[in-house]
Amino acid sequence: MNVWNKIASVPSSGKKAVLCTVVAVSGSTPRHAGAKMIVYEDGSIDGTIGGGNLEKNVIQNALLQLNLNQPKLFRHDLLHQHNMCCGGTVEIFIEPLMPQKKLYIFGAGHTGQALASLALNTDFEVYLFDDRKEYMDQVSDSRINKLCAEIRNTLPLLPFDQYTYSVIATYEHALDRDILSYCIGKPHAYLGMIGSQRKILITKKMFTDAGIATSSQLEKVHMPIGINIHAEDPFEIAISIMSELISFKNSTTDLKAKKNNETKTKKAEQVK
């Protein structure tokens, strides 16, 4: 498998990796511009950008950028930095290759279908779950992974990790709560449930009273789900959910801080 095929296979492999590309050279260098090397989270590599002390240093830089999840351009003076007698300079661009983000949509109703279609234009791999064949048959886009089966039985078969985004929006409150009960204890990047303020308050009370989840765990669940854009119809609701997913995915820290501030404000208003 050549390096391009390996690069393409990283997102779906579940592995974390970094792509290191020689973008510019000057003087005598071991590799020309365009040379590529993949560095995996365990320090193993595919390809080479020149070997020796240069490559050793680039691997260290790559692992650092992988932890930071940030791209960065590095300039290397081969003689003075790495004691390599070829003596030229090399510029290497390092960029993380992260695993594919999975979006689980539980519920293929009008909102679920609209959200699945919207998500196809982002970098999510989309999965749609429902036990109603008549609704699943309405979804014709082959890029959406569909599973028509009883969702409660499906949950133990699904992989959950830090790249899993889950949206709970089925046709029944009890089913929504059963899904939330299962998912809240699993690793995930994002977990949200659709519902009114009353539904959310009842769910939180039921979960804490029954010892299903702590208040801290429940505060991390996005419910009511979506950004408040005064959405009314299913497509508008799907847009509000997609907006929150994108905002969370692209600026996790900022959104969490905003959510925490909103929670503190609500609590302060309740005290008043």
Side-chain angles (χ1 to χ4, degrees):
M1 183 182 289
N2 64 37
V3 68
W4 286 108
N5 290 334
K6 288 186 178 292
I7 292 169
S9 70
V10 167
S12 60
S13 70
K15 297 179 180 178
K16 293 182 181 180
V18 181
L19 177 62
C20 307
T21 304
V22 178
V23 294
V25 298
S26 177
S28 178
T29 59
R31 296 295 306 273
H32 296 297
K36 301 181 188 300
M37 177 177 71
I38 302 172
V39 179
Y40 299 96
E41 57 185 324
D42 62 359
S44 62
I45 64 172
D46 274 316
T48 178
I49 45 81
N53 285 334
L54 169 64
E55 193 157 283
K56 179 182 177 182
N57 190 266
V58 169
I59 291 172
Q60 292 173 347
N61 292 338
L63 294 175
L64 175 61
Q65 296 311 120
L66 180 61
N67 287 330
L68 295 173
N69 192 24
Q70 294 177 350
K72 187 173 181 179
L73 180 66
F74 291 85
R75 185 178 185 276
H76 299 266
D77 183 317
L78 299 184
L79 178 60
H80 296 101
Q81 288 180 258
H82 306 301
N83 198 30
M84 296 175 69
C85 60
C86 37
T89 59
V90 181
E91 292 185 22
I92 298 177
F93 184 65
I94 294 177
E95 54 183 319
L97 301 172
M98 305 307 288
Q100 181 74 53
K101 298 176 181 67
K102 303 183 296 291
L103 174 58
Y104 292 160
I105 303 172
F106 297 102
H110 302 300
T111 299
Q113 289 183 33
L115 179 61
S117 296
L118 287 170
L120 289 176
N121 297 310
T122 65
D123 59 350
F124 287 108
E125 185 175 7
V126 183
Y127 295 82
L128 186 62
F129 306 95
D130 207 303
D131 60 1
R132 300 170 296 173
K133 185 176 184 301
E134 65 273 22
Y135 280 86
M136 294 296 264
D137 286 346
Q138 295 171 14
V139 181
S140 58
D141 197 314
S142 61
R143 294 174 297 170
I144 298 173
N145 300 284
K146 300 188 298 179
L147 181 59
C148 186
E150 216 291 323
I151 297 177
R152 292 181 181 90
N153 297 333
T154 301
L155 287 169
L157 307 177
L158 301 179
F160 289 85
D161 56 33
Q162 67 267 41
Y163 302 102
T164 303
Y165 292 66
S166 296
V167 172
I168 304 170
T170 75
Y171 53 86
E172 187 177 85
H173 288 190
L175 179 55
D176 282 353
R177 292 185 181 112
D178 283 349
I179 297 169
L180 178 60
S181 176
Y182 184 90
C183 292
I184 201 167
K186 298 294 181 181
H188 53 263
Y190 174 100
L191 176 59
M193 186 178 76
I194 201 167
S196 64
Q197 289 287 352
R198 176 172 170 76
K199 175 185 174 183
I200 302 310
L201 288 173
I202 291 173
T203 298
K204 288 182 176 181
K205 187 175 188 309
M206 290 174 63
F207 276 45
T208 52
D209 288 351
I212 296 171
T214 65
S215 297
S216 177
Q217 285 177 303
L218 289 165
E219 286 300 325
K220 295 176 183 177
V221 180
H222 298 262
M223 53 182 182
I225 198 170
I227 290 175
N228 184 9
I229 57 172
H230 305 291
E232 294 186 3
D233 65 44
F235 187 72
E236 291 178 346
I237 294 170
I239 290 174
S240 78
I241 297 171
M242 194 72 248
S243 299
E244 185 171 71
L245 288 170
I246 292 171
S247 181
F248 188 86
K249 174 176 65 72
N250 293 344
S251 55
T252 303
T253 302
D254 291 342
L255 189 60
K256 280 183 177 177
K258 181 181 177 182
K259 287 279 187 178
N260 288 337
N261 288 335
E262 288 176 352
T263 300
K264 290 176 182 177
T265 301
K266 288 178 182 176
K267 288 180 178 178
E269 289 173 351
Q270 289 172 358
V271 171
K272 292 178 183 178

